[in-house]
Amino acid sequence: MSAPILSLERLGVGLPSHGSGRPVTVLEQLDLTVQPGEMTALVGESGSGKTIAALAAMRLLPPGGTTEGVVRFDGIDLLAQDERRMRALRGRIGMVFQNPLSALNPTRTIGAQVADGHRLHAGGSAAQARVRAIDLLGEVGIPNPARRLDDYPHQFSGGQRQRVMIAAALACDPKLLIADEPTTGLDPLVARQILALLAGLRRSHGLGVLFITHDLSIVADHADRLTVLYAGRAVEWGAARRFFAAPRHPYSQALLGAVPRLGQASLHGIPGLLPDPARRPPGCRFAPRCAYAQAPCEVAYPPPVGDAGEAAACLYPQPAPLLEAGHAAAAFEAGGTAPLLALEHVTVRYGDAAPSLSEVSLELRRGECLGIVGESGSGKSTLGRAILQMLPYQGRILLDGQDLAALPREALRRARRRIQPVFQDPRESLNPRLRVRETLAEPLRLVGMRDKDRLAREVASLLAKVGLDPSLADRFPGQISGGQAQRVAVARALATRPDIIVLDEPTSALDVSTQATLLTLLRDLARSERLATLFISHDIAAVSWLADRIAVLRQGEIVEMADTMRMIAQPNHPYAAALIDTAPRIARR
Amino acid sequence: MRDGVAARLLSRRSLPRGALLGGLLLAVLILALCFALPLVWTADPYALNPVSPLAHPSARFPLGTDEIGRDNLARVLDAGRATLLVAIPGAVITFLAGLIYGLSSGLAPRWADAVLMRLLDAVLALPGLVVLIFFAAILRLSTPSLILLLGLISWPPLARLVRNETRAVRDRDYVQASRQMGAGLFHVATTHLLRVMAPVLAVNFTFLVGDMVLVLSALSFLGLGVQPPQTSWGGLLESALQLVALDPWWLILPPGLLIFASLLSASLIGQGLLARQGGGR
C-alpha cells in the first residue's frame, strides 16, 4: 500500500460556544486516510461533525476553533504550517461544496473562474489557461465546452454547476479533492452522475477523494473505504466493500435500514435524538438510542472490534439484519366509489414560458396515496399547489364532484380547509415566533374554537397523534429538532380534519434516520384517519414505500401512471425506467 | 449542517430577563419626575431671579439657575412635560400610521401596492421642515396640532419598511398554510406578520421616540416647536450649549441625561418585550 495522500490522526476539534463561553468538543479522535486514486467516504447525519472535520483539515475553522491531533497531507503536517505556507498548500487540495450557486461568482464567466485556479497555481498566459479550462470542462462532462466557456453560472443547471465546480477544483491540479455533500439537493439521476464522475476522476488523475455525505446508499457503489461518524466520534470504519457486505455497528445498520429501498416491506427509523454536543454520554454515544445497548455501553467509549481492514467501536456488534421484502397495500375503497378529487386537463403557465404543468388529469380516491415523482422543474410542486388552490390554473379541479374554481368565496374557503399541505422545510413552514401550542391552535381558532381548555386538550391530542411529547407545546420552532418540527407541521395539517393531505417533499430536508420515522408516521396516520394523500418527492424509493399508485411527471406532463408494484417491476416509459434504476434496491444486499 | 452544532453555537443569546423590568422602572421614574415631582417642587419655571444668575446647585436651587436666574429644576421638569407630551403621542401616531399603511400596501394586490407606494414617494418628496413651517404660518401651533404634524411628516419611512417586510413574509409557507386553513388577510397580519416583524417594529418604535425628542428640539430652535416661554429638553440643551464657555454643567447634564434615559428606557422596554416573546431565532 502506498503512502496515504491525506491522513487524519486522532483529530479533535473544539468550537467556542456563545452560550456558556466554554468551548464545545464537536469532534474527537478521528482517524482517517485517503489513498491516492481512492475515494474515502465520511458519512454522518447533521451534527455528527463531518463538515467540521474537513474544515479542520483545511485549517478553515471559524475563529476560536481549536484542533488537536495530526493532519498529514502528502507527508506535511498541515496543523503545524503557518498561514502563508498553508495558502500554497490549499491549492493542491480541491474543494467542492454543497451549493455550487453560492460557491461560483455570478458576475464572472465560468471560463474565467475555472482558469483562475490554473493561473494561480501553474502560472502561464491567459490563452494557455483558457485552453486548459476548455479541456477541464470537457473532462467533467460539460457538452460543447469551447462554446460555453463565456456563459455565466446561472445559465447552467444545478448538476452542470457542480461539474463546473469540480473543473475549477481540478484546475489547480490537486492531489486531493474534498467534496462536502456535493450531491445533496440534486435529483437522484444527476447525483449518481456526479458521483460516477468523481469516481472516474480519482482513477484517471490518481486523485484522492474525501467524500462527505449523510447518505450511505449513494456511496455504496464507488467508495473504497469509509468512516461512519456519530455525535463527533467514528463508530465504524474500514474497507467499504466489507462494510456494505456486513455492517456491524447498530448505528451503521440503522442508518442503512432507514434508507427506503424499492420493494421494502417496512421502514425503521432511529428513535430518540442526537445528544447535545455539550452533554454527550460518557460511553458509547449511540447507547441511549441503541436497541442492543447494555449497562457496560454507558461506562466508556467501546474499543474497536475487528481488524485493520474493517472495525466497529461496539461492545455488542450485530450480524447484518435482512430486510423484509413486500409491499403492504392500503385498504382504500377501490372500485365503484366516486373519486374524492379529480383533475381534468389542468394547465399552469407562468408568463409566456412553456407551461409548468400541462394537461394533467388524475383521480384520487378516499384513503388512497398517490405518489408524484419527477426531477426538479418537472412541475410536481406546481401540481401540489394547484390542487391546494394556491395558484391560478386552467382546467378543472373537482372535489367531491364540485368544481373548486366555480365555488363562491365562502364555500371555497371551506373546501380549501379539506385539503391541507405539509411542506418540505419545517423551518420555513412554521412561524418561528409562534409557540408550538399557538401554531397548532391556529387552525382550531380559525374554525371558531375559542374555549382555552378545549384548545389545550385538542393541542395535546394532536401532539399525541404525531407521537410528540405534550411538553413540546411551549417551545418555539427554533427549540425543537427538524424532525419534531416536521411532525408539528403534520399535526397542524391534521387539525381541521382534512380529507386530503398534499405532502410536498416532506422528508427531503430531514436526516435519514428521521425520514424513515416520519414516513412510517405518515402512512399510519393516512390509514387511521382515512386520508387521501398526494406524496410529491424526487425519491422514488420513498414514494414506492408509501404510495398505492405512482405518477411520473416530466416537463409538466404525466408520462406514466400505474400501480406501485407494476411501476417498479415494469416501467413502460424510458424516463420512468431510468428513475427507478437510480433507486436503492433491496435485492442488492 | 442545518440544525447542528454550528447553528446552536451561532444563535443569539437571549437577553437578560431584567431588561423589560429595568426599562419599565426607568420609564416610571422619568414619568414620575416630570408629572409628579412638580406637585412637590412648586417653584415657578418662568420666574426671574436677577440677583442669582447662573447659580451653582444649592439648597434653594437644587439644579442651579440659568443665565437669567430661572430655577433650573423647575425648568427641566416643565420642559420634560412639554417634550414627553408631544414625543410619545407623536411616536405612537407615526408608528400606527406607518404600520397600517405598510401592512395594507404589502398585503394589497400588486397594482394597489404600486399606487400606494407612489403616493408614499410623493409624501417622502415633501421636505418635512418646509411643510411644518408652512403649517406653522397658517395655523396656531397647539400641542395637538404639533403632534399631528410630526406624525404626518414622519410615517413614510416606517411604512416602506413594514411594506417590504410584509412582501418578504407574505408568501412564506406558514402564511400559505394559514390561508389554506381559511385565514383572512387580517388574521395573517395580526397572527403572523406582526409576530415576525416584532423585532423590527420594537427597534423602530424606540427610534421613533428618540427621533421625536430630537425633531422637537430642532423645531424649538426654529421657533416652531414648543412655544416659548415653555421649552423642551432639546431647547434647554441648545440654550445651555450657547453658554458652554462658562461651563454651566448643571444646565447641560440634567436635560442631556434625561434625553439619554428616555431613549435607554424605550430601548430596554423594546428589547425586553422581544425577549419575552422569545423565539428561537
Side-chain angles (χ1 to χ4, degrees):
Chain A
M1 209 200 289
S2 58
I5 187 72
L6 178 74
S7 68
L8 310 182
E9 292 161 28
R10 306 178 76 75
L11 179 67
V13 179
L15 286 181
S17 138
H18 292 267
S20 59
R22 209 160 44 86
V24 173
T25 310
V26 290
L27 186 72
E28 281 171 77
Q29 314 249 358
L30 176 64
D31 290 308
L32 178 151
T33 59
V34 183
Q35 300 283 344
E38 284 193 2
M39 183 187 290
T40 297
L42 184 57
V43 184
E45 297 183 273
S46 55
S48 63
K50 58 189 189 302
T51 297
I52 287 294
L55 292 179
M58 294 282 280
R59 295 260 309 269
L60 292 172
L61 283 179
T66 55
T67 46
E68 52 186 81
V70 180
V71 176
R72 219 179 286 284
F73 169 68
D74 208 7
I76 308 163
D77 182 1
L78 291 186
L79 297 185
Q81 303 300 314
D82 62 18
E83 185 54 35
R84 199 174 56 83
R85 185 96 184 81
M86 197 58 216
R87 226 174 296 155
L89 283 167
R90 275 190 202 119
R92 296 165 61 200
I93 308 176
M95 278 202 100
V96 180
F97 299 96
Q98 175 175 348
N99 187 352
L101 201 54
S102 67
L104 289 168
N105 183 338
T107 64
R108 300 180 64 214
T109 65
I110 59 147
Q113 296 186 59
V114 173
D116 269 354
H118 183 72
R119 296 199 69 189
L120 226 54
H121 290 278
S125 70
Q128 281 171 336
R130 206 176 149 83
V131 172
R132 180 87 182 111
I134 295 177
D135 285 352
L136 285 168
L137 288 171
E139 196 171 348
V140 297
I142 300 285
N144 215 340
R147 282 246 307 272
R148 303 224 58 185
L149 204 57
D150 296 318
D151 284 348
Y152 290 88
H154 70 267
Q155 291 165 298
F156 291 82
S157 69
Q160 282 182 327
R161 273 182 217 130
Q162 200 55 280
R163 288 173 191 268
V164 171
M165 274 302 295
I166 294 170
L170 290 178
C172 305
D173 214 6
K175 292 183 162 183
L176 172 71
L177 194 65
I178 298 181
D180 188 1
E181 300 261 12
T183 55
T184 308
L186 296 178
D187 288 313
L189 272 174
V190 182
R192 273 171 210 268
Q193 288 162 3
I194 296 285
L195 203 76
L197 169 68
L198 287 173
L201 288 171
R202 82 184 195 270
R203 299 235 165 74
S204 58
H205 286 238
L207 199 62
V209 177
L210 178 61
F211 192 93
I212 300 171
T213 181
H214 67 276
D215 183 358
L216 259 178
S217 68
I218 196 162
V219 292
D221 289 337
H222 296 293
D224 299 293
R225 59 186 71 236
L226 99 182
T227 297
V228 180
L229 273 183
Y230 178 78
R233 282 203 71 161
V235 296
E236 189 159 3
W237 56 90
R241 190 166 304 147
R242 282 179 58 189
F243 172 86
F244 284 107
R248 284 185 288 184
H249 197 284
Y251 177 68
S252 314
Q253 293 175 358
L255 206 53
L256 271 170
V259 178
R261 282 153 208 281
L262 288 179
Q264 184 172 343
S266 56
L267 269 179
H268 299 285
I270 306 175
L273 290 174
L274 188 74
D276 188 273
R279 281 187 294 275
R280 283 173 176 159
C284 175
R285 271 86 195 265
F286 189 58
R289 300 171 73 184
C290 181
Y292 311 102
Q294 295 180 33
C297 294
E298 278 147 38
V299 178
Y301 201 77
V305 284
D307 49 49
E310 212 275 341
C314 184
L315 294 172
Y316 307 103
Q318 300 294 318
L322 279 175
L323 293 174
E324 221 179 309
H327 180 77
F332 71 94
E333 292 127 58
T337 53
L340 182 62
L341 182 83
L343 274 67
E344 293 174 0
H345 309 288
V346 172
T347 299
V348 176
R349 198 186 289 272
Y350 298 106
D352 294 331
S356 313
L357 205 62
S358 80
E359 296 279 323
V360 167
S361 299
L362 54 84
E363 287 181 353
L364 190 64
R365 282 165 210 289
R366 194 171 287 280
E368 182 189 24
C369 176
L370 174 64
I372 308 282
V373 293
E375 60 194 352
S376 25
S378 62
K380 51 190 197 304
S381 286
T382 305
L383 174 61
R385 290 190 185 233
I387 291 174
L388 288 159
Q389 309 292 304
M390 284 179 179
L391 44 81
Y393 55 86
Q394 289 146 22
R396 302 209 303 162
I397 297 182
L398 306 150
L399 181 65
D400 272 339
Q402 277 184 308
D403 186 357
L404 289 175
L407 287 177
R409 202 184 158 97
E410 195 44 44
L412 177 62
R413 190 181 280 212
R414 276 197 304 275
R416 282 185 70 177
R417 268 196 197 120
R418 297 175 57 197
I419 314 174
Q420 289 295 319
V422 174
F423 297 110
Q424 173 172 1
D425 186 351
R427 303 265 177 238
E428 268 286 296
S429 66
L430 301 181
N431 185 335
R433 301 211 150 258
L434 251 45
R435 289 178 197 277
V436 166
R437 173 164 36 78
E438 297 167 291
T439 289
L440 292 181
E442 188 190 356
L444 302 169
R445 284 177 195 280
L446 280 169
V447 293
M449 200 184 291
R450 286 283 178 275
D451 181 49
K452 280 219 164 106
D453 294 336
R454 176 129 184 254
L455 279 172
R457 275 201 311 278
E458 288 285 332
V459 167
S461 95
L462 281 171
L463 283 172
K465 215 177 247 184
V466 294
L468 289 176
D469 193 85
S471 67
L472 247 54
D474 285 324
R475 306 251 190 105
F476 288 100
Q479 297 167 331
I480 59 182
S481 77
Q484 289 173 331
Q486 194 63 306
R487 281 162 185 259
V488 172
V490 171
R492 177 182 58 189
L494 295 177
T496 49
R497 303 192 183 283
D499 296 314
I500 301 173
I501 299 254
V502 176
L503 307 165
D504 189 354
E505 300 266 14
T507 58
S508 57
L510 303 179
D511 271 318
V512 178
S513 65
T514 323
Q515 278 180 22
T517 326
L518 190 80
L519 284 174
T520 311
L521 172 78
L522 286 171
R523 184 164 82 171
D524 294 348
L525 281 174
R527 291 187 181 169
S528 64
E529 311 271 310
R530 289 182 65 241
L531 289 168
T533 40
L534 194 76
F535 183 17
I536 299 166
S537 175
H538 63 254
D539 182 353
I540 197 166
V543 168
S544 77
W545 187 76
L546 200 66
D548 306 299
R549 277 189 304 146
I550 296 179
V552 177
L553 210 58
R554 190 181 195 199
Q555 291 171 359
E557 286 177 51
I558 293 184
V559 296
E560 186 168 1
M561 179 152 55
D563 285 350
T564 300
M565 290 315 278
R566 224 271 289 131
M567 176 75 89
I568 57 178
Q570 254 186 334
N572 288 330
H573 193 277
Y575 180 69
L579 268 187
I580 285 166
D581 212 37
T582 63
R585 269 171 195 280
I586 192 165
R588 276 225 290 271
R589 291 277 308 277
Chain B
M1 286 189 290
R2 268 184 308 276
D3 40 36
V5 196
R8 220 168 306 150
L9 290 177
L10 293 173
S11 78
R12 202 161 43 98
R13 264 192 88 190
S14 60
L15 271 143
R17 295 220 168 268
L20 181 61
L21 197 65
L24 284 173
L25 274 178
L26 200 54
V28 168
L29 197 71
I30 294 168
L31 291 175
L33 213 60
C34 296
F35 293 94
L37 194 59
L39 304 176
V40 184
W41 188 258
T42 48
D44 181 353
Y46 310 120
L48 309 181
N49 300 287
V51 285
S52 47
L54 282 181
H56 277 257
S58 62
R60 195 176 154 217
F61 302 115
L63 290 180
T65 61
D66 68 0
E67 70 276 16
I68 48 176
R70 288 177 291 196
D71 180 79
N72 193 40
L73 175 60
R75 296 263 292 156
V76 167
L77 301 183
D78 183 55
R81 274 198 307 277
T83 306
L84 296 179
L85 278 179
V86 176
I88 294 175
V92 170
I93 286 181
T94 306
F95 183 76
L96 291 178
L99 183 65
I100 292 168
Y101 195 94
L103 280 176
S104 317
S105 185
L107 288 172
R110 201 166 283 279
W111 63 267
D113 176 48
V115 171
L116 286 171
M117 280 298 109
R118 293 299 78 74
L119 200 66
L120 183 136
D121 288 340
V123 178
L124 260 184
L126 295 174
L129 272 181
V130 175
V131 173
L132 274 181
I133 292 170
F134 172 76
F135 280 107
I138 58 168
L139 293 175
R140 213 178 62 80
L141 275 183
S142 62
T143 302
S145 63
L146 191 60
I147 294 170
L148 279 177
L149 279 176
L150 281 175
L152 187 73
I153 58 165
S154 327
W155 63 269
L158 181 70
R160 168 159 295 171
L161 186 83
V162 170
R163 179 262 179 194
N164 289 345
E165 288 279 319
T166 305
R167 284 267 151 192
V169 175
R170 61 176 269 174
D171 291 327
R172 289 282 174 86
D173 284 346
Y174 52 81
V175 177
Q176 299 270 18
S178 181
R179 303 277 291 163
Q180 194 71 26
M181 299 179 298
L185 287 176
F186 184 74
H187 174 93
V188 168
T190 51
T191 307
H192 292 289
L193 300 178
L194 286 186
R195 296 290 278 271
V196 172
M197 281 188 247
V200 184
L201 292 178
V203 170
N204 273 277
F205 183 71
T206 318
F207 288 164
L208 275 180
V209 174
D211 281 355
M212 288 293 157
V213 171
L214 294 179
V215 170
L216 207 56
S217 62
L219 285 177
S220 306
F221 184 72
L222 288 174
L224 292 176
V226 179
Q227 294 302 301
Q230 207 182 24
T231 183
S232 64
W233 281 336
L236 280 182
L237 207 53
E238 184 75 47
S239 52
L241 286 176
Q242 289 175 4
L243 307 171
V244 76
L246 304 173
D247 194 20
W249 55 267
W250 61 92
L251 294 184
I252 298 174
L253 277 184
L257 284 178
L258 280 166
I259 291 176
F260 174 70
S262 330
L263 301 193
L264 182 67
S265 154
S267 167
L268 284 177
I269 292 173
Q271 308 250 6
L273 284 177
L274 272 188
R276 235 172 71 124
Q277 281 222 351
R281 56 183 186 195

